[in-house]
Amino acid sequence: MAPKKSATSSGTTSSSSSTTASASAALSNASSSAAKSASSGAQQIDQVALSLVQHYQKATPQRTKLIDAFMAFLVVVGALQFAYCVLAGNYPFNAFLSGFSATVGQFVLTASLRIQTTEANKSEFPSVSPERAFADYVVGSMILHFFCINFIN
Amino acid sequence: MKFLVSFLVLVFAAVAQAISSSGSRLLVILEDVAEKAGYSKFLADLEGRGFDIAYETPKSESLSLFHLGERSYDHILFLPTKSKGLGPNLTPNILLQFINANGNILLTLSSSTATPSSIVSLLLELDIYLPADRQGLVVDHFNYDALSASEKHDVLLLQPPGALRAGVKDFFSDASVIAFPNGMGQTLGEGALLAPVLRAPATGYSYNPKEQTETVDDLFASGSQLSLVSTMQARNSARFTVVGSADMLSDKWFDAKVKKVGEKDTVKTGNQEFAKAISGWAFKETGVLRVNWVEHHLNEEGAGNASNPKIYRIKNDVTYSISLSEYSWDKYIPFTVPESDDLQLEFSMLSAFHRLKLNPTISSADSTTYSSSFKLPDQHGIFNFMVNYKRPFFTNVVEKNTVSVRHFAHDEWPRSFAISGAWPWLAGIGATVTGWLAFCTVWLYSAPAATRESKKTR
């Protein structure tokens, strides 16, 4: 029992020493490349972004891209309305609620359309075809518009 | 003929009304009916003003203030009586009932006769206090009549009282100098219903003449805390008046000549004028306010201005008017608010949301119309137009008209496009809807060929 014990203990010590060695090596490596990485970090991020965009352009279907463009448009419109409310005050409040919630609601509906029509989520919605999803989306949007126009008076 | 008769009836009715505003039946209580000779001028004055005077002694069996639950008399005048009590027909309770039934009482005291216990109890009930042992004599060593009271100093010569305070109408200052002989003073409690008319001068005091001591040990009251003529007007506007000296109403002092100590000239007393003023007030010939009508309406352009609608909307412009008359001896005259006082309108729900001054607008021969225009508060609920005018020596005016105030109806709000501040959000909705339409169009025309292939492959 005793030798075994000693062996394990020696083993652990050796392993620990080896890890410290590797750590120190990594440290030296990092310190040596610190200046290099600072300059190249931006480049790496650029590369990552570039590859991301390239991948998005290559792998995303046309309709999903369309949805994304529309959602970006809604974000811009919603931000403008909210900024106006902050800057100019919320009178008449029902108009603010109506305008802002129309944009936000439209965003939410569009997001659900995107979820339901993405190829990758097909297994989640076996019974919802893209056409069916779009029809739901149209009906939901029209109800939303009806309420918002009514509420803004 | 018929017309003539009805005309005569009308004329008589008008004449009959041309006295006190609250009836002409006056009961005079005195020890002995023969005593009325001593007050003949005062009583003749009252009769001349249209009162039907009945004389009774407190011991009289037939005396009853009520008959079948109704008052038998409109006013009571108490002249001093010698008896210790007033008998079973004039208990304090009955007298209070008389006041509650809108009857007016003028009570006179005298220091030479002990005040009946019934009266003392009644006064205590009204928060008016008499000296202990019902004995008290008001003297003043600086304002006495040198002709009649050079020894005892118990005939006070007083100047007319003037207004009680700023903003209170003065009814009692017609007289010149007022002689107050042989009188008993009172002190008044804190109640808002009590108001002194005549107060003792700063050097006057009350003492017990039965005590044979050189110095006054325990002073009942002195100076202006000693009220010589006091009034109490109940919440139903019934009036109770205490005159500390019955002698000041007697013939002897109506035309007595007096000379104030330290002055050279002898003058005639103004007791007759003062007696007229105080009895006129006590029996509701002066200071009686009448509300002729109350009217309120919508004060907005293009709106029908029907009178006294039951319902208004929040933020409506509204005009409220109230017409008031004041009774003065034999007729109604336009009521004018005393200087430095305001007639106010409250628009209240539990508490007042508005308290506004009412300004005189229309004045006619016998009434003044006060009105005020204002915007209703931004609060819906059940509101009252309230005029609550309670002032010393005027009868109380409490007029409460309840209206509902509703909120805006759904179609009374301005349209969003009428408010320029809402245009950005209208544009926001527009952008969202057009963007959505464009999106849908593009979506329909962007059906991917790949899907068909995928379907085929599938």
Side-chain angles (χ1 to χ4, degrees):
Chain A
M1 287 297 281
K4 199 178 184 181
K5 200 176 187 181
S6 66
T8 52
S9 64
S10 67
T12 52
T13 49
S14 65
S15 69
S16 67
S17 65
S18 69
T19 51
T20 50
S22 68
S24 63
L27 254 178
S28 64
N29 196 15
S31 58
S32 64
S33 67
K36 203 165 52 177
S37 71
S39 63
S40 69
Q43 283 178 8
Q44 281 177 358
I45 290 170
D46 278 356
Q47 279 177 0
V48 167
L50 198 67
S51 66
L52 208 67
V53 169
Q54 279 173 351
H55 178 76
Y56 177 79
Q57 283 178 343
K58 203 165 63 192
T60 312
Q62 168 72 19
R63 280 185 159 170
T64 310
K65 280 183 190 163
L66 182 62
I67 289 178
D68 289 339
F70 185 48
M71 285 169 77
F73 167 75
L74 289 174
V75 166
V76 170
V77 171
L80 283 174
Q81 290 182 73
F82 191 75
Y84 176 77
C85 174
V86 169
L87 293 175
N90 62 9
Y91 177 78
F93 193 50
N94 68 314
F96 163 68
L97 284 180
S98 177
F100 191 62
S101 59
T103 313
V104 171
Q106 192 64 66
F107 183 86
V108 171
L109 286 172
T110 314
S112 3
L113 178 67
R114 193 184 194 280
I115 292 169
Q116 288 190 340
T117 53
T118 306
E119 288 288 325
N121 294 340
K122 208 141 208 177
S123 58
E124 299 262 349
F125 309 102
S127 65
V128 182
S129 68
E131 289 77 15
R132 168 69 198 273
F134 184 69
D136 285 352
Y137 170 75
V138 167
V139 171
S141 299
M142 283 172 72
I143 291 173
L144 174 72
H145 298 158
F146 174 78
F147 270 93
C148 287
I149 290 170
N150 211 9
F151 189 63
I152 203 167
N153 190 5
Chain B
M1 187 62 200
K2 240 180 194 175
F3 173 76
L4 192 69
V5 167
S6 59
F7 177 75
L8 280 177
V9 165
L10 263 180
V11 166
F12 284 131
V15 167
Q17 279 173 356
I19 30 111
S20 164
S21 66
S22 69
S24 64
R25 298 167 299 172
L26 170 63
L27 172 68
V28 178
I29 306 273
L30 27 59
E31 178 66 30
D32 185 358
V33 175
E35 273 183 19
K36 72 180 184 182
Y39 303 95
S40 62
K41 286 192 173 178
F42 178 56
L43 296 171
D45 270 358
L46 289 174
E47 259 173 352
R49 288 184 346 236
F51 287 101
D52 306 325
I53 305 183
Y55 300 93
E56 293 281 4
T57 62
K59 296 289 186 289
S60 166
E61 295 279 321
S62 59
L63 174 59
S64 170
L65 298 187
F66 292 91
H67 178 63
L68 302 176
E70 291 288 319
R71 274 187 287 118
S72 312
Y73 303 98
D74 301 307
H75 319 283
I76 303 180
L77 168 61
F78 279 99
L79 291 171
T81 50
K82 292 203 176 63
S83 48
K84 198 157 182 295
L86 283 179
N89 297 323
L90 293 170
T91 61
N93 196 21
I94 290 174
L95 292 173
L96 276 182
Q97 275 175 27
F98 185 74
I99 293 174
N100 284 335
N102 249 316
N104 306 307
I105 296 179
L106 175 58
L107 170 70
T108 60
L109 305 172
S110 173
S111 72
S112 51
T113 55
T115 314
S117 54
S118 168
I119 295 291
V120 175
S121 310
L122 176 66
L123 290 176
L124 280 178
E125 197 86 36
L126 304 175
D127 218 7
I128 301 173
Y129 302 95
L130 294 183
D133 300 336
R134 299 173 287 154
Q135 289 282 335
L137 179 64
V138 179
V139 295
D140 186 339
H141 304 304
F142 298 90
N143 294 304
Y144 61 92
D145 175 25
L147 292 183
S148 63
S150 56
E151 283 292 312
K152 291 181 71 180
H153 301 177
D154 59 352
V155 179
L156 273 62
L157 295 185
L158 307 162
Q159 294 305 308
L164 179 61
R165 57 172 181 268
V168 173
K169 186 169 172 178
D170 180 14
F171 289 98
F172 309 104
S173 291
D174 290 338
S176 48
V177 61
I178 301 165
F180 187 82
N182 195 22
M184 185 190 277
Q186 317 100 44
T187 56
L188 304 181
E190 292 289 317
L193 305 178
L194 294 163
V197 170
L198 201 57
R199 286 185 274 207
T203 46
Y205 65 92
S206 172
Y207 82 108
N208 188 346
K210 292 276 170 67
E211 282 181 13
Q212 300 294 330
T213 50
E214 280 294 301
T215 55
V216 178
D217 289 336
D218 49 341
L219 197 62
F220 169 65
S222 69
S224 59
Q225 71 180 141
L226 186 62
S227 179
L228 306 179
V229 176
S230 347
T231 63
M232 197 278 309
Q233 185 172 253
R235 282 186 293 184
N236 63 358
S237 299
R239 287 170 175 179
F240 184 88
T241 312
V242 185
V243 174
S245 163
D247 289 346
M248 74 186 291
L249 307 176
S250 65
D251 292 354
K252 183 189 168 194
W253 290 98
F254 264 27
D255 35 36
K257 295 271 199 291
V258 291
K259 191 174 89 164
K260 193 172 174 179
V261 60
E263 284 178 13
K264 293 243 171 84
D265 42 347
T266 310
V267 291
K268 188 179 175 301
T269 62
N271 278 21
Q272 190 155 11
E273 291 81 19
F274 183 75
K276 184 188 177 195
I278 194 72
S279 61
W281 185 86
F283 299 148
K284 284 197 181 161
E285 289 171 281
T286 57
V288 176
L289 300 185
R290 181 182 69 179
V291 177
N292 301 308
W293 45 263
V294 169
E295 197 265 355
H296 52 87
H297 63 262
L298 210 54
N299 181 29
E300 285 182 351
E301 272 185 39
N305 58 347
S307 281
N308 302 338
K310 287 269 178 283
I311 187 163
Y312 286 108
R313 199 201 64 207
I314 59 169
K315 294 180 180 174
N316 265 157
D317 289 313
V318 166
T319 299
Y320 175 92
S321 308
I322 183 169
S323 169
L324 287 169
S325 300
E326 178 188 351
Y327 194 74
S328 177
W329 298 109
D330 55 358
K331 63 180 184 303
Y332 278 100
I333 60 170
F335 169 65
T336 44
V337 176
E339 217 171 295
S340 77
D341 190 16
D342 281 344
L343 184 66
Q344 288 180 323
L345 166 70
E346 283 179 8
F347 192 67
S348 61
M349 178 170 64
L350 296 182
S351 60
F353 280 60
H354 280 304
R355 191 173 286 123
L356 303 158
K357 185 186 175 192
L358 285 161
N359 293 307
T361 48
I362 313 163
S363 200
S364 73
D366 66 346
S367 70
T368 314
T369 301
Y370 289 85
S371 44
S372 183
S373 297
F374 63 103
K375 191 182 272 296
L376 298 187
D378 189 359
Q379 168 76 50
H380 66 269
I382 309 296
F383 280 86
N384 293 313
F385 288 102
M386 181 100 170
V387 171
N388 187 1
Y389 188 73
K390 291 173 180 159
R391 297 291 184 273
F393 308 134
F394 276 128
T395 54
N396 299 328
V397 174
V398 179
E399 276 299 323
K400 190 166 148 182
N401 296 68
T402 305
V403 292
S404 306
V405 177
R406 63 175 173 86
H407 44 61
F408 276 95
H410 185 253
D411 59 352
E412 281 176 324
W413 297 96
R415 292 286 188 168
S416 276
F417 49 76
I419 304 168
S420 59
W423 290 348
W425 294 309
L426 276 170
I429 287 193
T432 307
V433 173
T434 49
W436 175 76
L437 281 173
F439 167 76
C440 288
T441 320
V442 176
W443 173 281
L444 290 175
Y445 283 98
S446 69
T451 49
R452 281 182 198 163
E453 284 171 14
S454 67
K455 268 184 188 169
K456 276 178 189 170
T457 51
R458 205 184 279 172

